[in-house]
């Protein structure tokens, strides 16, 4: 799964995938994408969303810096540490959040400085492109790649869920997502969102 840590919809999808791990033979690997990169230079964005994006680049830079230092598996727990603070603790995005999350996991506190540095932007762009190129630039996070029936990568946006399905309900949604996403020529199933995300 490719995620931007500020996105509440991606957060719910990530918590659903961790629930799926409990009831299906699935191992989730997390990767970073950036809503800031996705929307850079894009015309017609609503003003509230443009403001919302202003603090999204720092967190993804810190995550990528941690990935480069410790390897991709570190993203699972670091994403959770970031997400718990952002979505549940309502901690403002900034040095305090980065420092606390890194300290919780015993990671190098100096990685917080990556938020204001371009040193890891090339790696961020590569991760972003790896996640989104197979699904299309007009889509974003959550982005998921799964092996298709023929062994090739099957990539898609979503699912967007609120609240997070638990137990066998999570497994059933996973089964359905695999079924429809593996259907040749299937592109879209969508309905209007009727509520803001209830993060779990």
């Amino acid at each position: 799964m490719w995620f931007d840590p500020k996105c509440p919809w991606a957060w719910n999808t990530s918590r659903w995938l961790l629930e799926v791990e409990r009831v299906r033979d699935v191992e989730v690997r997390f990767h970073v994408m950036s809503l800031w990169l996705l929307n850079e230079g894009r015309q017609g964005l609503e003003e509230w969303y443009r403001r919302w994006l202003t603090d999204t680049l720092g967190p993804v830079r810190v995550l990528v810096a941690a990935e480069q230092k410790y390897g991709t598996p570190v993203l699972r727990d670091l994403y959770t540490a970031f997400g718990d603070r952002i979505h549940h603790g309502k901690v403002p995005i900034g040095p305090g959040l980065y420092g606390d999350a890194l300290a919780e996991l015993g990671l190098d506190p100096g990685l917080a400085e990556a938020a204001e540095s371009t040193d890891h932007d090339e790696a961020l762009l590569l991760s972003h492109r790896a996640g989104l190129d197979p699904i299309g630039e007009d889509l974003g996070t959550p982005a998921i790649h799964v092996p298709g029936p023929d062994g090739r990568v099957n990539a898609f946006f979503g699912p967007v869920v609120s609240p997070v399905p638990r137990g066998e309900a999570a497994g059933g949604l996973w089964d359905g997502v695999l079924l429809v996403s593996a259907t040749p020529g299937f592109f879209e199933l969508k309905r209007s969102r009727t509520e803001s995300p209830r993060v779990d």
Side-chain angles (χ1 to χ4, degrees):
M1 175 189 166
W2 275 257
F3 68 91
D4 183 302
K6 190 176 179 184
C7 178
W9 298 107
W11 176 250
N12 275 8
T13 300
S14 72
R15 302 309 96 178
W16 163 68
L17 285 172
L18 293 178
E19 192 74 10
V20 170
E21 281 190 331
R22 297 176 58 242
V23 295
R24 295 292 186 272
D25 185 18
V26 169
E27 179 187 353
V28 183
R29 291 187 299 272
F30 291 99
H31 305 277
V32 181
M33 60 83 62
S34 168
L35 288 170
W36 188 89
L37 280 178
L38 181 69
N39 290 283
E40 186 181 20
R42 197 173 268 185
Q43 301 297 313
L45 293 178
E46 293 186 41
E47 188 54 36
W48 72 266
Y49 188 60
R50 192 178 300 282
R51 289 194 305 271
W52 185 89
L53 288 169
T54 56
D55 62 358
T56 58
L57 189 54
V60 294
R61 282 174 163 168
V62 175
L63 285 157
V64 169
E67 180 183 20
Q68 291 197 301
K69 183 175 180 73
Y70 296 103
T72 300
V74 77
L75 293 176
R76 171 186 287 253
D77 291 340
L78 192 53
Y79 178 25
T80 294
F82 273 43
D84 281 341
R85 287 165 174 78
I86 292 169
H87 302 293
H88 298 291
K90 306 302 181 190
V91 176
I93 292 175
L97 185 151
Y98 311 142
D100 288 348
L102 292 165
E104 177 186 328
L105 301 178
L107 303 177
D108 177 4
L111 291 170
E113 297 173 10
E116 303 300 326
S117 169
T118 61
D119 289 353
H120 303 281
D121 283 4
E122 184 176 350
L124 169 59
L125 181 59
L126 288 173
S127 181
H128 179 89
R129 295 253 57 91
L132 297 191
D133 281 354
I135 63 170
E137 259 306 315
D138 56 331
L139 300 169
T141 185
I144 296 177
H145 295 193
V146 297
D150 59 2
R152 291 188 292 181
V153 171
N154 189 3
F156 52 87
F157 167 78
V160 173
V161 292
S162 175
V164 175
R166 300 292 179 184
E168 188 53 35
L173 177 57
W174 175 254
D175 298 339
V177 165
L178 288 185
L179 179 64
V180 298
S181 66
T183 301
F186 178 86
F187 296 106
E188 189 169 352
L189 177 68
K190 189 171 184 177
R191 59 184 166 190
S192 295
R193 300 174 194 169
T194 57
E195 59 181 61
S196 298
R198 289 178 280 163
V199 295
D200 289 353

